[in-house]
């Protein structure tokens, strides 16, 4: 059974301003929160971790997909072996195949020695492929074979290498939409999507924000050699009302900047600092849904109603066009509301 409140970090309980709802679970180190939305994710992690099934983690940028992938690995029978990460978006397309499968000496210009790829390094462990939607169509059939058959060849070699790897993939993109557009293989999607886990954005788990703020203030101030014991209520209120389009990563960056600015034991984070962290500077609303609706309206007005492409509302919000359209339908946003 999961605890009623998941882990809020080993440092949080030491804070003088930490509330009573601070519990720890060693299975979920560094995962902070007590919301039902987060508990549901962790329940799914506990269910799937003991199996060797492939997992597809979906969620917006900055929601903590790698932390969930690590939790799956740490709760599995492979936890004594390596957890290997690979961000498919950060590696140039021409080098991606070599990084994933490895290469032999002389396989291409600059290949001065044999090199093992991430897939081979993860043998008997887990391989986390982040931003899986950025893998090219040309490479996807080879990845599909590796996922299905657990075998591959290094670049420049005809020798088949067998491995035993637990595959965990993650994306912030709409893969079914990419399939319809012809930029992602349907068979690869179904092979990766054996057990899907969706991580909700921070604006849908507002009750976790105070715990995250306390946790980041504690850990970051320790690293900087500072002692911050108080967070003004106005600062916390502003952070609770802000929609955080960059999710937990954006919150962490704002807290780090605030700790740098703080000269005493009180956190210095003016409301304007929080609002200025997004180019949209959305106005406050009494409800989370109201904040989300107003943020989308501001983006649509700034983009003059343009939904996709350069300078579009979806670009400003960091969303796929289809995701934005679904949100507009749910929030009953009509053309006359922003034009």
């Amino acid at each position: 059974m999961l605890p009623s409140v998941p882990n809020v970090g080993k440092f949080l309980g030491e804070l003088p301003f930490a509330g009573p709802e601070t519990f720890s679970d060693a299975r979920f180190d560094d995962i902070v929160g007590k919301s039902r939305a987060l508990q549901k994710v962790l329940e799914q992690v506990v269910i799937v971790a003991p199996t060797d099934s492939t997992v597809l983690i979906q969620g917006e940028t900055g929601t903590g997909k790698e932390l969930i992938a690590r939790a799956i690995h740490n709760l599995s029978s492979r936890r004594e072996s390596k957890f290997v990460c690979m961000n498919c978006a950060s590696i140039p397309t021409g080098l991606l195949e070599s990084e994933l499968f490895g290469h032999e000496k002389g396989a291409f210009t600059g290949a001065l020695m044999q090199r093992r790829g991430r897939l081979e390094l993860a043998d008997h462990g887990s391989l986390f492929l982040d931003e899986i939607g950025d893998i090219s169509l040309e490479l996807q059939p080879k990845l599909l074979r590796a996922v299905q058959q657990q075998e591959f060849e290094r670049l420049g070699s005809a020798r088949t290498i067998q491995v035993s790897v637990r595959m965990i993939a993650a994306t912030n993109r709409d893969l079914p939409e990419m399939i319809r557009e012809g930029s992602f293989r349907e068979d690869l999607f179904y092979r990766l999507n054996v057990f899907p886990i969706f991580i909700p954005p921070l604006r849908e788990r507002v009750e976790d924000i105070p715990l995250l703020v306390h946790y980041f203030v504690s850990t970051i101030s320790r690293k900087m050699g500072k002692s911050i014991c108080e967070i003004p209520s106005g600062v916390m209120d502003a952070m609770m009302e802000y929609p955080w389009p960059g999710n937990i990563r954006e919150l962490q960056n704002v807290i780090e900047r605030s700790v740098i600015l703080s000269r005493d034991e009180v956190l210095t984070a003016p409301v304007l600092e929080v609002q200025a962290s997004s180019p949209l500077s959305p106005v406050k609303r009494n409800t989370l849904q109201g904040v989300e609706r107003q943020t989308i309206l501001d983006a649509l007005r700034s983009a003059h109603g343009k939904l996709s492409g350069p300078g579009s509302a979806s670009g400003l919000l960091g969303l796929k066009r289809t995701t934005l359209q679904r949100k507009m339908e749910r929030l009953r946003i009509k053309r006359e509301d922003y034009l």
Side-chain angles (χ1 to χ4, degrees), residues 53-57 66 69-70 72-73 76 78 81-88 99-101 117-130 132 135 143 146-147 150 152 163-170 192:
S53 296
T54 304
V55 179
L56 179 61
I57 304 172
E66 184 175 337
R70 286 185 181 276
I72 293 170
H73 172 76
S76 74
R78 298 172 179 265
S81 300
K82 286 185 178 180
F83 175 81
V84 179
C85 296
M86 178 173 166
N87 189 309
C88 303
E99 284 291 328
L100 184 56
F101 300 110
R118 307 288 179 94
L119 192 61
E120 196 170 350
L121 291 172
D123 193 19
H124 300 295
S126 302
L127 176 61
F128 175 54
L129 296 176
D130 200 4
I132 191 72
I135 287 188
L143 176 61
V147 175
Q150 297 276 288
F152 65 95
V163 290
S164 173
V165 175
R166 171 59 168 300
M167 292 284 191
I168 307 172
L192 295 172

Side-chain angles (χ1 to χ4, degrees), residues 215-234:
Y215 177 73
F216 288 137
V217 168
S218 175
T219 55
I220 293 171
S221 59
R222 282 173 184 270
K223 291 178 182 178
M224 295 185 181
K226 294 188 175 186
S227 177
I228 297 176
C229 302
E230 181 182 344
I231 300 175
S233 59

Side-chain angles (χ1 to χ4, degrees), residues 161-179:
I161 299 173
Q162 299 279 343
V163 290
S164 173
V165 175
R166 171 59 168 300
M167 292 284 191
I168 307 172
T171 183
N172 63 352
R173 303 180 68 176
D174 188 340
L175 295 186
E177 176 66 18
M178 292 181 66
I179 292 171

Side-chain angles (χ1 to χ4, degrees), residues 153-299:
E153 291 85 31
R154 294 193 193 117
L155 277 174
S157 172
R159 183 172 69 90
T160 299
I161 299 173
Q162 299 279 343
V163 290
S164 173
V165 175
R166 171 59 168 300
M167 292 284 191
I168 307 172
T171 183
N172 63 352
R173 303 180 68 176
D174 188 340
L175 295 186
E177 176 66 18
M178 292 181 66
I179 292 171
R180 288 189 287 271
E181 294 172 351
S183 56
F184 200 85
R185 291 179 62 105
E186 188 173 18
D187 49 2
L188 177 58
F189 170 73
Y190 288 126
R191 194 63 190 84
L192 295 172
N193 198 42
V194 173
F195 193 92
I197 295 178
F198 176 76
I199 305 179
L202 188 54
R203 61 184 174 274
E204 293 181 10
R205 36 181 288 220
V206 178
E207 58 266 51
D208 290 339
I209 291 177
L211 294 177
L212 285 162
V213 171
H214 290 162
Y215 177 73
F216 288 137
V217 168
S218 175
T219 55
I220 293 171
S221 59
R222 282 173 184 270
K223 291 178 182 178
M224 295 185 181
K226 294 188 175 186
S227 177
I228 297 176
C229 302
E230 181 182 344
I231 300 175
S233 59
V235 170
M236 186 63 78
D237 289 344
M239 292 185 176
M240 291 281 286
E241 294 180 14
Y242 183 68
W244 299 108
N247 293 293
I248 298 173
R249 185 180 294 124
E250 182 185 7
L251 173 62
Q252 182 178 6
N253 292 340
V254 169
I255 295 298
E256 183 172 354
R257 185 164 67 249
S258 301
V259 171
I260 293 171
L261 292 171
S262 301
R263 298 183 180 277
D264 50 28
E265 294 184 348
V266 180
L267 185 70
T268 301
V271 174
L272 289 177
E273 276 289 305
V274 177
Q275 293 178 338
S277 63
S278 168
L280 300 176
S281 297
V283 297
K284 297 180 183 179
R285 286 295 180 270
N286 293 329
T287 65
L288 180 61
Q289 189 177 63
V291 171
E292 184 179 17
R293 190 175 194 277
Q294 187 61 43
T295 301
I296 292 175
L297 284 172
D298 287 346

Side-chain angles (χ1 to χ4, degrees), residues 21 51 67 142 172:
E21 295 181 309
T51 74
L67 283 178
K142 195 169 182 179
N172 63 352

Side-chain angles (χ1 to χ4, degrees), residues 79-153:
R79 56 185 170 273
E80 300 300 326
S81 300
K82 286 185 178 180
F83 175 81
V84 179
C85 296
M86 178 173 166
N87 189 309
C88 303
S90 66
I91 301 172
T93 303
L95 298 177
L96 196 57
E97 184 173 2
S98 172
E99 284 291 328
L100 184 56
F101 300 110
H103 62 255
E104 298 291 343
K105 180 180 179 180
F108 53 85
T109 303
L112 303 179
M113 62 183 69
Q114 184 191 78
R115 181 178 179 182
R116 294 193 299 165
R118 307 288 179 94
L119 192 61
E120 196 170 350
L121 291 172
D123 193 19
H124 300 295
S126 302
L127 176 61
F128 175 54
L129 296 176
D130 200 4
E131 306 296 351
I132 191 72
D134 286 84
I135 287 188
S136 67
L137 268 175
E138 293 75 17
L139 190 55
Q140 288 177 27
K142 195 169 182 179
L143 176 61
L144 175 62
R145 179 191 172 204
V147 175
Q148 287 188 151
Q149 308 297 332
Q150 297 276 288
E151 63 182 29
F152 65 95
E153 291 85 31

